[in-house]
Amino acid sequence: MKNVKKEITKALGDELHEYLSLQKIDELLEVPKHENMGDLAFPCFELAKVFRKNPSQIAADLSASIKLSPLVVSTIKAVGPYVNFFYNKEAYTKELMTSVLKSAHTYGSHTFGNEKTIPMDLSSPNIAKPFSMGHLRSTVIGNAVGKILEKCGYNVVRINYLGDWGTQFGKLIAAYTLWGEGEKVRSNPIQELLALYVRFHEEAEKDASLVEMGRAWFVKLEKGDPEAIKLWKWFKEESLLSFKGIYNLLNVSFDSYKGESSHHQQSEEILTLLKEKGLLEESDGALVVRLDEEGLPPALIQKSDGTTLYTTRDLAAAIFRKKTYNHAASLYVVGNEQSLHFKQLRAVLKKMGYDWADEITHVPFGMMLKDGKKMSTRKGKVVFLEEALEKSIQFAKQNIEEKNPGLNQKEDVARKVGVGAVIFHDLKNDRLNDVEFSYEEMLKFEGGTAPYLQYTYARAKSILRKAEGDVTSYSFNAEDWGYAWSVVQKVAAFPEVIEQAAHYYDPSKVAKYLLKLAQSFNAYYANVRILETGSYQNGRLALTEAVAIVIGEGLRLLGVEVPEEM
Ligand code: ARG
């Protein structure tokens, strides 16, 4: 279904393309002050100069020559210097409803992705550390972007690139051998390992030999020392168990868990390749690729002690992904504090001669702040995500007990609402903005929240359950248009919103759109008696069902589950 304004813009463009761009026409079109002047008006003042005619004459000529389907616009009338357009709301809405109800959850899908493969690096938490709010952002943004791209016909491969390799594991192993207790770690792995890590940093400030010890353990780990490997494996298993609990709650899954450790061995090949191409330079005993021409600082490839680095492993992983997936684009949903890293990654790959380097696409997002400041793992200043999710679910439960204690499947609804609130709290913001973490904001279940949308969906569903009769032919009451038309136009806009969200990798476009749709529908619900029997009931029910379809599908794309009753 086409947007009516777009159709009119196009039709005007066919007449005026020599003088005005489509964008200019779009800007000129205005909503008349009085309803009896139509739904949209085009002023002809600007054309007077080029046509050397008076604006009223131009309006009269245009209204006679412009071609628009009577199914879209019923009347075109010149009034003074304006061309006024009257929409054919009835025909337009009938066609839209037929199409939405027939397509059901496939409404809004596109095929422009042509089944091309897009690997997406998302979530990617660091083992032996708590799952941070930054990782939550990556997980929920990535999950939503993936679903939106799939709806546009792409084949998305979700890769959880675990941070399971690097100097920090040397430090952690050192700390464990010094102060660790097996029992404690087993019973509360993440918190215990974090405590060891924090203690290591504190004591290393006083005792420099610890730094040396940590480094030595990482060298051992890279060389495959059995004791180092055994401890590292154990930390990783415990961490994964805890992460998977979070993924279950969030209802997110991955196609691959290939993390940094899966690529450290390929680092040798990367070094050889870089050497062959003469790209490596020594700098204080370390090996770097200079990126002066690109205006970037040099990329560190190997430390002076011979160990590999984050960038080295990412180079290996990028090459592996191109070989494995022959991708159209390779996405990295990672915080914007790593922008430089991804610029360097792309630049080094380009220098290595890979013509696909530009397919590396960083999808950055802002930070999650606490009291206006970045949260720091090293200092132990983090909000534990599981705690946040549990709090939200608890709050949802309380709400249900107060407002609807007889509800079926309370536990399941509370989980969907509580988790939905956390996810949506993140997604409704432009992804580049920093988000202040606030329980108060997150647990507000009204206004621009997931519970508000879930509630609107459940309300629509309950109306449909109460109504009898099948929804096959629809009539619309002209008196309803005041509230119905804005709902209709929003329903019609869904496919375009999806396309935009895919183009900008931006789920907030869907989130904001859903809030507007729900607002229009709730105003419609408050002012129009949807269930009143008579010849218009079918039309009203069709609109209600269309809204339920779009909200349900929109929330699914955002990774928010929707209960049928609330
Ligand atoms: N583990 C990293 C971190 O927590 C994020 C990894 C992002 N992905 C990548 N391919 N570099 O900061």
Side-chain angles (χ1 to χ4, degrees):
M1 269 311 274
K2 294 278 152 51
N3 175 303
V4 193
K5 187 177 179 196
K6 256 204 177 149
E7 291 286 289
I8 293 174
T9 309
K10 228 174 68 205
L12 280 165
D14 289 344
E15 302 293 320
L16 302 170
H17 58 97
E18 286 169 49
Y19 320 102
L20 295 174
S21 69
L22 286 180
Q23 198 192 332
K24 183 73 195 170
I25 295 173
D26 180 80
E27 280 165 25
L28 286 172
L29 280 166
E30 57 184 61
V31 178
K33 294 204 178 61
H34 297 289
E35 244 173 71
N36 59 4
M37 310 281 273
D39 298 292
L40 211 55
F42 182 71
C44 298
F45 307 104
E46 297 219 0
L47 289 167
K49 264 192 220 129
V50 276
F51 281 112
R52 295 173 180 281
K53 278 189 205 164
N54 74 51
S56 306
Q57 186 57 45
I58 300 170
D61 293 349
L62 263 179
S63 64
S65 61
I66 195 166
K67 283 170 213 67
L68 269 165
S69 159
L71 289 178
V72 176
V73 169
S74 55
T75 313
I76 305 170
K77 207 161 66 184
V79 178
Y82 289 92
V83 185
N84 290 347
F85 298 90
F86 294 77
Y87 297 170
N88 188 342
K89 294 180 179 137
E90 170 108 14
Y92 180 84
T93 306
K94 269 188 192 167
E95 198 188 323
L96 177 68
M97 292 303 113
T98 310
S99 136
V100 176
L101 269 50
K102 199 176 107 213
S103 315
H105 68 274
T106 66
Y107 175 57
S109 300
H110 298 280
T111 53
F112 59 78
N114 279 320
E115 287 173 40
K116 283 185 269 189
T117 299
I118 298 191
M120 180 163 70
D121 188 309
L122 78 160
S123 196
S124 310
N126 301 320
I127 65 165
K129 284 201 197 161
F131 194 95
S132 75
M133 284 292 164
H135 298 118
L136 172 72
R137 296 213 74 191
S138 170
T139 310
V140 303
I141 293 170
N143 187 44
V145 169
K147 291 196 157 133
I148 291 165
L149 290 175
E150 279 163 348
K151 194 164 173 78
C152 295
Y154 290 99
N155 168 31
V156 178
V157 183
R158 293 168 173 76
I159 305 172
N160 194 337
Y161 184 69
L162 294 172
D164 58 359
W165 208 252
T167 40
Q168 71 270 33
F169 297 103
K171 294 178 193 166
L172 189 62
I173 294 172
Y176 182 79
T177 54
L178 287 171
W179 315 298
E181 290 166 55
E183 252 337 288
K184 265 186 157 175
V185 174
R186 251 181 296 277
S187 61
N188 201 358
I190 301 286
Q191 311 238 15
E192 265 320 300
L193 292 174
L194 176 66
L196 284 171
Y197 189 68
V198 171
R199 178 162 175 196
F200 184 89
H201 279 276
E202 279 165 7
E203 306 225 357
E205 273 183 24
K206 293 171 260 160
D207 177 359
S209 76
L210 282 178
V211 180
E212 212 24 72
M213 191 177 167
R215 197 173 290 152
W217 270 112
F218 184 54
V219 174
K220 278 190 176 179
L221 187 63
E222 285 229 311
K223 296 215 165 104
D225 172 84
E227 198 190 342
I229 294 279
K230 198 174 125 205
L231 283 171
W232 167 80
K233 266 204 177 134
W234 177 43
F235 298 158
K236 178 165 167 173
E237 275 160 24
E238 295 289 356
S239 300
L240 266 177
L241 266 174
S242 137
F243 295 158
K244 283 186 178 164
I246 292 172
Y247 295 138
N248 275 340
L249 269 180
L250 292 173
N251 197 25
V252 172
S253 57
F254 300 91
D255 302 297
S256 158
Y257 274 93
K258 253 186 187 314
E260 291 187 45
S261 69
S262 317
H263 297 286
H264 93 270
Q265 266 151 347
Q266 296 150 5
S267 298
E268 272 311 308
E269 289 163 46
I270 302 291
L271 280 170
T272 316
L273 274 172
L274 287 169
K275 254 179 225 151
E276 277 171 15
K277 299 196 189 258
L279 293 170
L280 279 185
E281 250 177 63
E282 241 197 77
S283 165
D284 292 333
L287 294 175
V288 304
V289 176
R290 292 204 150 272
L291 298 169
D292 299 343
E293 290 157 31
E294 291 77 5
L296 297 169
L300 256 174
I301 302 293
Q302 191 182 55
K303 281 200 180 175
S304 48
D305 61 10
T307 55
T308 60
L309 284 138
Y310 187 50
T311 306
T312 331
R313 295 186 285 276
D314 247 337
L315 284 168
I319 295 168
F320 172 84
R321 286 176 198 175
K322 183 64 189 179
K323 270 197 200 135
T324 311
Y325 303 113
N326 188 24
H327 50 64
S330 182
L331 305 188
Y332 294 78
V333 185
V334 183
N336 55 13
E337 68 273 13
Q338 292 196 29
S339 287
L340 176 61
H341 167 73
F342 288 104
K343 280 188 195 143
Q344 290 176 314
L345 188 64
R346 209 179 311 139
V348 175
L349 288 167
K350 220 179 247 181
K351 273 200 144 63
M352 292 172 87
Y354 293 116
D355 54 3
W356 49 266
D358 283 325
E359 290 167 12
I360 300 283
T361 309
H362 180 203
V363 179
F365 52 82
M367 271 188 290
M368 184 77 85
L369 305 175
K370 182 97 181 72
D371 307 320
K373 285 197 226 63
K374 187 177 156 49
M375 302 183 194
S376 154
T377 333
R378 269 198 205 175
K379 301 198 179 106
K381 277 193 191 137
V382 289
V383 172
F384 290 97
L385 178 65
E386 262 168 313
E387 194 184 292
L389 287 170
E390 284 310 328
K391 259 197 188 174
S392 187
I393 295 170
Q394 254 344 95
F395 187 70
K397 246 182 227 163
Q398 232 175 331
N399 261 318
I400 295 171
E401 289 305 339
E402 279 164 26
K403 294 181 187 139
N404 192 1
L407 182 70
N408 290 323
Q409 295 178 306
K410 280 193 254 188
E411 292 287 314
D412 188 52
V413 175
R415 186 187 60 83
K416 287 176 176 160
V417 172
V419 174
V422 175
I423 295 177
F424 197 84
H425 169 63
D426 189 309
L427 289 183
K428 73 171 180 186
N429 298 296
D430 289 344
R431 62 173 162 72
L432 279 167
N433 290 352
D434 290 344
V435 182
E436 172 68 31
F437 178 84
S438 141
Y439 275 119
E440 206 186 319
E441 268 302 306
M442 200 158 79
L443 302 182
K444 223 187 249 163
F445 283 3
E446 288 147 25
T449 63
Y452 169 72
L453 292 172
Q454 288 165 321
Y455 187 72
T456 307
Y457 173 87
R459 165 182 277 164
K461 281 289 184 179
S462 122
I463 296 171
L464 293 167
R465 270 194 303 273
K466 278 185 208 137
E468 301 197 349
D470 61 333
V471 188
T472 42
S473 74
Y474 333 113
S475 327
F476 294 94
N477 186 353
E479 283 174 21
D480 290 355
W481 286 132
Y483 292 100
W485 185 242
S486 76
V487 182
V488 170
Q489 282 183 300
K490 291 197 180 82
V491 169
F494 187 53
E496 204 185 311
V497 171
I498 301 294
E499 190 183 334
Q500 290 288 310
H503 185 261
Y504 292 104
Y505 306 121
D506 188 2
S508 78
K509 296 207 187 301
V510 177
K512 287 178 187 151
Y513 159 83
L514 289 177
L515 290 173
K516 283 194 208 130
L517 170 65
Q519 265 157 20
S520 303
F521 177 73
N522 285 326
Y524 175 75
Y525 171 83
N527 290 283
V528 173
R529 293 159 68 154
I530 300 177
L531 281 167
E532 189 177 73
T533 47
S535 49
Y536 299 123
Q537 196 199 37
N538 274 346
R540 291 172 179 149
L541 290 176
L543 189 54
T544 304
E545 188 168 345
V547 168
I549 289 172
V550 174
I551 295 185
E553 177 62 3
L555 285 176
R556 183 191 71 80
L557 292 174
L558 298 181
V560 174
E561 294 177 79
V562 266
E564 294 295 303
E565 278 180 80
M566 243 172 105

